[in-house]
Amino acid sequence: MSSSLTIAASGMNASALRIEASASNVANARSNGPVPQTPPDRPVPRSDDPRSVYQPVDVVQVSTGSGTAARMSERLPAYELRYQPDAPFADARGMVAAPNVDYTREIADQVASVAAFKANAKVFSTASEMARTVIDMKT
């Protein structure tokens, strides 16, 4: 595969991962839970308890020699304290942990990810057309 196709494909994959992360954050934004033992500036430990607070994720993207590489990473701070004394899992102060998810940020990330995907798809399409033109010229 030509380098421009590889670069564009890696960009499309990164954009798709960003959409996946943002969709997960939005879907779980209201999944409050008991206040974890860890402070908000540390990742929330994984738990099988369905009441545990959701750990939001971000995508870390780095440039490589042949495009970009992206991976999900825990968002920090992971949660914020909210006063919800009627929650069955509220602590003695009436506090619960709420995921650190801001809808405005998520919408902006989704819009930017869609635009980046479209741009990379156009690069991919153009590079493919150019390769076909070169092949047709040789035949």
Side-chain angles (χ1 to χ4, degrees), residues 10-11 13-22 25 55-64 67-76 105 109 113:
S10 71
N13 287 334
S15 294
L17 188 62
R18 286 185 179 284
I19 288 288
E20 181 183 341
S22 183
N25 290 342
Q55 168 66 64
V57 293
D58 286 318
V59 173
V60 177
Q61 191 170 338
V62 295
S63 178
T64 66
T68 187
R71 66 174 175 78
M72 285 193 198
S73 176
E74 292 94 355
R75 177 178 294 169
L76 297 176
R105 175 182 174 181
D109 284 352
S113 296

Side-chain angles (χ1 to χ4, degrees), residues 4-109:
S4 55
L5 293 175
T6 302
I7 292 167
S10 71
M12 288 188 290
N13 287 334
S15 294
L17 188 62
R18 286 185 179 284
I19 288 288
E20 181 183 341
S22 183
S24 179
N25 290 342
V26 169
N28 293 289
R30 294 186 180 223
S31 62
N32 297 348
V35 178
Q37 296 296 318
T38 57
D41 63 344
R42 300 272 186 244
V44 175
R46 302 219 190 279
S47 172
D48 292 332
D49 185 353
R51 300 176 313 148
S52 66
V53 65
Y54 170 72
Q55 168 66 64
V57 293
D58 286 318
V59 173
V60 177
Q61 191 170 338
V62 295
S63 178
T64 66
S66 58
T68 187
R71 66 174 175 78
M72 285 193 198
S73 176
E74 292 94 355
R75 177 178 294 169
L76 297 176
Y79 64 90
E80 56 189 36
L81 296 178
R82 291 216 179 119
Y83 185 67
Q84 192 177 352
D86 58 336
F89 46 80
D91 66 12
R93 301 171 298 156
M95 304 304 276
V96 299
N100 179 21
V101 176
D102 174 29
Y103 291 115
T104 305
R105 175 182 174 181
E106 298 302 332
I107 290 169
D109 284 352

